[in-house]
Amino acid sequence: GAVVSQHPSWVICKSGTSVKIECRSLDFQATTMFWYRQFPKQSLMLMATSNEGSKATYEQGVEKDKFLINHASLTLSTLTVTSAHPEDSSFYICSASPDRTYGYTFGSGTRLTVV
Amino acid sequence: DQQVKQNSPSLSVQEGRISILNCDYTNSMFDYFLWYKKYPAEGPTFLISISSIKDKNEDGRFTVFLNKSAKHLSLHIVPSQPGDSAVYFCAASARNYGGSQGNLIFGKGTKLSVKP
């Protein structure tokens, strides 16, 4: 149980275009989902907390206009990287949990490469 | 300021021996700790967790120890197997004001290599 599905697993896009990443909780409802980013050889850094039916909470230094988060239902959150640039190339991972004691389940991640 | 620290970027262990991965934290509000295993280009896989009301939690070959006074936790893997070779992340969270779960704060990870 507690499966989180993330798509796509990898994407290559041109500079200036936008990319949407989906995160779905398959067998539980998630009022909160978390979006992380990982640079090579670095830790997972929290970008934002996605709240169903309300605005996302962004961490300091994360541009909310560049990384648009939508959590329209209890099972789906999307992260859209707008006007992507090469420096946005990274590994993006979402996470959710049905219950705190269960632990947080992660999606398989999305490798974004902007050329 | 890094709230969760894994000071050893890498660890090499012989198969069959014990692997000990360490993690320190600074935020006394953290009350839930987790260990994740991560392979390249994949999402982290949950391994084991521990609540601050405990000082030990065991699951098969994996045991996590928590020393609250020292703000230190460790993951013991015994016996270590080559398939355990991966990056291990320590993570912590605190409850939000309303009692809901907070986000995870991760350490930078420790790359474990288990040699046959």
Side-chain angles (χ1 to χ4, degrees), chain A residues 36 38 43 46 100-101 104 106 108, chain B residues 31-32 36 43 93 102-103 107:
Chain A
Y36 294 85
Q38 185 185 26
S43 180
L46 179 68
R100 193 163 188 254
T101 57
Y104 296 71
F106 285 82
S108 54
Chain B
D31 62 349
Y32 192 55
Y36 285 87
S93 76
N103 61 276

Side-chain angles (χ1 to χ4, degrees), chain A residues 34-113:
Chain A
F34 302 100
W35 286 96
Y36 294 85
R37 180 177 180 176
Q38 185 185 26
F39 293 101
K41 299 183 180 179
Q42 294 192 27
S43 180
L44 290 159
M45 299 297 296
L46 179 68
M47 298 175 63
T49 301
S50 170
N51 304 297
E52 188 268 335
S54 65
K55 291 183 180 180
T57 305
Y58 290 82
E59 295 300 300
Q60 192 172 12
V62 177
E63 299 176 60
K64 60 180 69 175
D65 293 331
K66 166 167 273 298
F67 300 100
L68 299 179
I69 290 174
N70 185 286
H71 196 153
S73 77
L74 287 170
T75 59
L76 174 64
S77 176
T78 60
L79 168 68
T80 302
V81 183
T82 62
S83 188
H85 289 110
E87 56 264 31
D88 298 325
S89 299
S90 189
F91 192 55
Y92 295 87
I93 306 175
C94 67
S95 169
S97 175
D99 179 86
R100 193 163 188 254
T101 57
Y102 188 92
Y104 296 71
T105 300
F106 285 82
S108 54
T110 299
R111 169 72 62 190
L112 170 64
T113 302

